[in-house]
């Protein structure tokens, strides 16, 4: 377990298997995603919704913040409701109330007796869980009773996203600004998108016994309960991770504890004579910007948290008219990624020449250019998001320059491309400063190799954010967003951080190089598994 070459081979094998599983899972998600109907028709042949209207409704949802204001299928913020779950419950209750009034002469489902309620729920489950989607025509057919319930819920949402006084209390509870969606037609098609997301949560797959979302979210009215396999695999994954960490700690303690206890610290600081190069000095401004972003994030976090108390105001001031909840939460979550990423970008630019002792030509110019580009990206992306949430950018420009609506991947596609190009520039700057050291055999070559490979991964894997397009199926967007959040941010950045810290510890004489190399490889294996 301390053989560095074997650990490298095991890491390569693990990466091959892991990405094989990820690609296979992506194919399964693509094959089994909820269908997007071409038309939604009533049982008498009338058009209720078209695909274009559902797609446009999703654009509207994304433009005002998407996952930052409520959630879809459990993904997003939780002050406002999960719109798919909220729509489902409202539609189901509307149907039950309609039938209770017509069949039993009572005003609502709650006023019916237990026997009547049981009969109505059985009828409800049979109706809504039956899949009426025709794969050949792309048409979903709905009963007239269900259409009446859908119309009732749609009217509620159209009032909610306007400035109707009847829904003002709900808007305050959900931390929504008045007139969240200014255009009446956009409010109508928004409800079409919400209906489709709810349809996927309560409709069984064709020839299946669970819904397109594995019976999620929970809804007792139609026995929507997640299958046991979801809990089983979740528990297994957490247990497996904790067991792996525990075994690694135990092995280290029994095999290296005595050796490390007898090691001596160096008498002087081995890095005291390090002389910063011009490009290393130029990274200072990165850390000042990092500090500013961190402080702004804290401020925005306080404002966002306060909205959860007062809804639309802050100490009596109508702040939501200027900075709506969805924009403060957008900037707060996005800044968390940006300042952490900026910290490691600056660290990479500083540590490269420090490791190799080599200052490539025009390195300082590249560092300064990248800093300017990052500032332009942050200011430009955040400005576009503000215009989008306030519904002044327009749906035709929103995807590229406004708000994409995906949590942690909110910035417009133009700014994502700009950032990706900046990351490639960063990769070149760090890589060429590390390259001389990588070419020379040394005891710390494996750590530097991992540092370099994590740099490559950070530069390239942001490309996962560029895979989906404006009308890519929401299931596939979520799949690639998982790559961005969990691989790019939580995976490769952690490997990079571990490699940097391990290298510095070896230079300071705190731990032997071999021990640090084995620890970094083990940590990488855990991160990647």
């Amino acid at each position: 377990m301390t053989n560095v070459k074997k650990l490298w081979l095991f890491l390569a094998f693990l990466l091959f298997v892991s990405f094989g599983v990820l690609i296979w899972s992506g194919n399964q998600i693509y094959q089994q995603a909820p269908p997007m109907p071409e038309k939604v028709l009533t049982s008498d042949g009338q058009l209720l919704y078209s695909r274009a209207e559902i797609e446009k409704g999703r654009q509207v949802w994304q433009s005002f913040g998407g996952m930052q204001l409520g959630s879809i299928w459990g993904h997003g913020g939780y002050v406002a409701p999960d719109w798919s779950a909220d729509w489902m419950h409202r539609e189901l209750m509307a149907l039950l109330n309609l039938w209770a009034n017509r069949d039993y002469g009572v005003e609502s489902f709650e006023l019916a007796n237990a026997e009547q309620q049981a009969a109505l729920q059985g009828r409800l489950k049979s109706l809504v869980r039956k899949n009426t989607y025709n794969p050949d025509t792309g048409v979903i057919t709905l009963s007239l009773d269900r259409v009446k319930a859908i119309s009732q819920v749609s009217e509620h949402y159209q009032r909610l996203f306007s400035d109707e006084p009847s829904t003002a209390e709900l808007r305050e509870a959900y931390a929504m600004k008045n007139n969240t969606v200014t255009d009446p037609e956009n409010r109508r098609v928004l409800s079409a998108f919400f209906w489709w997301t709810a349809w996927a949560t309560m409709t069984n797959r064709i020839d299946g016994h669970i819904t397109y979302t594995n019976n999620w979210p929970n809804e007792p009215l139609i026995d929507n309960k997640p299958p046991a396999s979801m809990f089983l695999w979740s528990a297994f994954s957490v247990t497996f991770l904790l067991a792996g960490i525990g075994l690694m700690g135990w092995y280290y303690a029994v095999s290296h504890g005595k050796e490390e206890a007898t090691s001596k610290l160096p008498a002087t600081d081995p890095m005291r004579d390090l002389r910063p190069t011009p490009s290393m000095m130029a990274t200072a401004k990165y850390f000042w910007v990092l500090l500013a972003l961190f402080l702004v994030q804290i401020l925005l976090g306080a404002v966002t948290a306060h909205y959860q108390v007062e809804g639309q105001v802050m100490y009596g001031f109508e702040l939501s008219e200027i900075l709506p909840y969805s924009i403060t939460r957008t900037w707060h979550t996005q800044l968390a990624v940006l300042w952490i990423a900026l910290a490691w970008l600056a660290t990479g630019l500083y540590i490269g020449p420090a490791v190799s002792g080599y200052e490539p030509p025009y390195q300082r110019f590249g560092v300064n250019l990248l800093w300017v580009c990052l500032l332009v990206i942050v200011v430009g992306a955040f400005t576009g998001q503000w215009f989008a949430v306030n519904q002044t950018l327009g749906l035709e420009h929103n995807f590229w320059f406004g708000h994409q609506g995906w949590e942690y991947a909110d910035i417009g596609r133009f700014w994502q491309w700009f950032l990706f190009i900046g990351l490639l520039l960063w990769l070149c700057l760090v890589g060429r400063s590390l390259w001389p050291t990588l070419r020379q055999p040394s005891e710390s070559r494996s750590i530097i190799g991992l540092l370099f490979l994590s740099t490559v991964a950070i530069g390239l894997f942001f490309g996962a954010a560029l895979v989906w397009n404006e009308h890519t199926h929401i299931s596939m967007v979520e799949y690639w967003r998982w790559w961005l959040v969990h691989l790019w941010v939580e995976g490769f950045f952690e490997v990079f951080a571990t490699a940097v810290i391990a290298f510095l510890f070896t230079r300071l004489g705190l731990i032997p190089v071999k021990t640090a190399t084995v620890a970094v490889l083990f940590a990488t294996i855990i991160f990647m598994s």
Side-chain angles (χ1 to χ4, degrees):
M1 293 179 70
T2 59
N3 187 298
V4 174
K5 183 177 180 180
K6 289 182 179 180
L7 285 174
W8 271 106
L9 291 174
F10 183 71
L11 176 60
F13 172 76
L14 177 65
L15 290 173
F16 176 79
V17 172
S18 298
F19 281 100
V21 172
L22 282 174
I23 293 171
W24 176 83
S25 300
N27 180 64
Q28 292 298 303
I29 292 172
Y30 177 78
Q31 296 292 338
Q32 300 183 35
M36 180 64 69
E38 296 300 325
K39 295 179 181 178
V40 180
L41 300 180
T42 65
S43 57
D44 60 357
Q46 299 298 311
L47 178 66
L48 181 63
Y49 295 128
S50 66
R51 177 169 184 160
E53 289 174 323
I54 297 173
E55 294 277 10
K56 185 178 180 182
R58 189 181 105 174
Q59 290 179 281
V60 176
W61 170 71
Q62 292 177 256
S63 70
F64 64 70
M67 290 180 178
Q68 305 295 353
L69 185 64
S71 59
I72 293 292
W73 298 345
H75 301 150
Y78 295 103
V79 175
D82 182 280
W83 302 116
S84 47
D86 188 66
W87 179 291
M88 174 171 59
H89 186 74
R90 290 178 182 276
E91 181 183 335
L92 297 179
M93 288 304 302
L95 272 169
L96 289 172
N97 290 336
L98 173 66
W99 292 339
N101 180 263
R102 187 173 63 194
D103 297 351
Y104 301 113
V106 294
E107 292 185 6
S108 65
F109 171 73
E110 286 84 0
L111 297 178
N113 60 43
E115 183 179 349
Q116 292 169 341
Q117 288 185 353
L120 290 175
Q121 279 191 248
R123 180 181 174 186
L124 179 71
K125 181 179 177 181
S126 176
L127 175 69
V128 301
R129 292 187 76 94
K130 181 181 178 180
N131 197 326
T132 60
Y133 173 73
N134 187 330
D136 297 326
T137 61
V139 172
I140 295 175
T141 304
L142 302 176
S143 69
L144 295 180
D145 283 349
R146 192 167 181 185
V147 171
K148 288 180 182 178
I150 290 171
S151 299
Q152 180 179 327
V153 181
S154 176
E155 289 174 5
H156 163 76
Y157 276 99
Q158 291 181 58
R159 292 194 301 271
L160 178 65
F161 284 87
S162 69
D163 56 359
E164 278 275 336
S166 60
T167 51
E169 188 175 341
L170 268 184
R171 280 194 296 275
E172 185 176 0
Y174 295 164
M176 293 172 57
K177 69 185 291 288
N178 293 324
N179 240 359
T180 300
V181 179
T182 54
D183 186 89
E185 175 61 16
N186 285 351
R187 292 196 290 267
R188 187 186 72 82
V189 296
L190 173 64
S191 67
F193 171 67
F194 286 162
W195 169 82
W196 175 80
T197 65
W199 175 85
T201 69
M202 56 182 163
T203 303
N204 283 347
R205 299 171 186 266
I206 298 176
D207 300 325
H209 63 281
I210 58 173
T211 70
Y212 288 102
T213 57
N214 292 340
N215 294 353
W216 176 264
N218 180 70
E219 178 51 74
L221 289 173
I222 54 172
D223 292 333
N224 228 28
K225 299 175 182 177
S229 58
M230 292 182 62
F231 300 100
L232 178 65
W233 284 108
S234 296
F236 173 79
S237 62
V238 173
T239 304
F240 182 77
L241 175 63
L242 295 177
I245 296 173
L247 285 172
M248 186 182 73
W250 170 81
Y251 176 80
Y252 176 81
V254 300
S255 60
H256 293 278
K258 294 182 179 179
E259 175 187 338
E260 292 299 315
T262 58
S263 62
K264 296 182 179 180
L265 296 177
T268 59
D269 184 354
M271 299 188 70
R272 179 177 294 175
D273 295 330
L274 176 66
R275 294 184 179 180
T277 65
S279 69
M280 293 166 66
M281 295 292 291
T283 62
K285 63 177 73 71
Y286 283 74
F287 293 99
W288 286 111
V289 172
L290 181 159
L291 179 60
L293 295 181
F294 177 70
L295 293 175
V296 172
Q297 189 208 5
I298 293 176
L299 175 62
L300 289 170
V303 174
T304 304
H306 193 86
Y307 274 140
Q308 300 181 28
V309 178
E310 291 195 75
Q312 297 172 323
V313 300
M314 186 170 183
Y315 300 112
F317 181 68
E318 294 284 348
L319 189 62
S320 64
E321 297 302 315
I322 303 172
L323 291 176
Y325 171 84
S326 57
I327 198 66
T328 62
R329 190 176 189 274
T330 296
W331 289 349
H332 175 70
T333 55
Q334 199 70 59
L335 282 172
V337 176
L338 287 173
W339 76 257
I340 293 171
L342 186 61
W344 296 123
L345 295 183
T347 301
L349 294 171
Y350 186 90
I351 207 71
V355 168
S356 64
Y358 170 65
E359 174 86 348
Y362 302 107
Q363 184 79 354
R364 181 180 180 182
F365 173 78
V367 171
N368 290 331
L369 175 63
L370 180 60
W371 181 78
V372 172
C373 290
L374 292 174
L375 287 183
V376 172
I377 291 169
V378 172
V379 174
F382 281 26
T383 302
Q385 288 171 339
W386 186 84
F387 280 112
V389 168
N390 284 283
Q391 300 289 286
T392 57
L393 188 62
L395 297 182
E396 64 275 15
H397 303 301
N398 180 68
F399 177 75
W400 280 92
F401 300 100
H403 201 308
Q404 285 202 46
W406 311 112
E407 193 175 28
Y408 298 110
D410 305 279
I411 64 176
R413 177 52 52 87
F414 173 81
W415 304 110
Q416 286 180 332
W417 271 109
F418 199 164
L419 180 56
F420 183 61
I421 294 171
L423 288 171
L424 294 182
L425 172 60
W426 174 77
L427 170 59
C428 293
L429 292 172
V430 176
R432 67 181 193 151
S433 62
L434 286 174
W435 190 248
T437 305
L438 287 170
R439 296 177 60 185
Q440 300 173 359
S442 66
E443 194 178 12
S444 58
R445 188 175 182 180
S446 286
I447 296 180
I448 298 173
L450 276 172
L451 178 62
F452 176 75
L453 289 178
S454 61
T455 302
V456 173
I458 289 170
L460 297 182
F461 269 81
F462 182 77
L466 306 174
V467 176
W468 68 78
N469 294 313
E470 188 169 10
H471 298 292
T472 299
H473 196 287
I474 187 173
S475 297
M476 293 308 299
V477 175
E478 283 292 351
Y479 169 73
W480 290 113
R481 194 177 74 92
W482 187 94
W483 279 56
L484 180 70
V485 175
H486 296 287
L487 288 180
W488 185 66
V489 177
E490 297 178 353
F492 296 117
F493 271 113
E494 290 177 350
V495 173
F496 177 83
T498 304
V500 169
I501 293 170
F503 175 80
L504 292 175
F505 278 13
T506 59
R507 283 292 179 94
L508 291 170
L510 300 177
I511 55 176
V513 174
K514 185 176 181 180
T515 301
T517 302
V518 172
V520 172
L521 284 168
F522 262 119
T524 305
I525 290 170
I526 291 175
F527 290 149
M528 293 298 103
S529 60

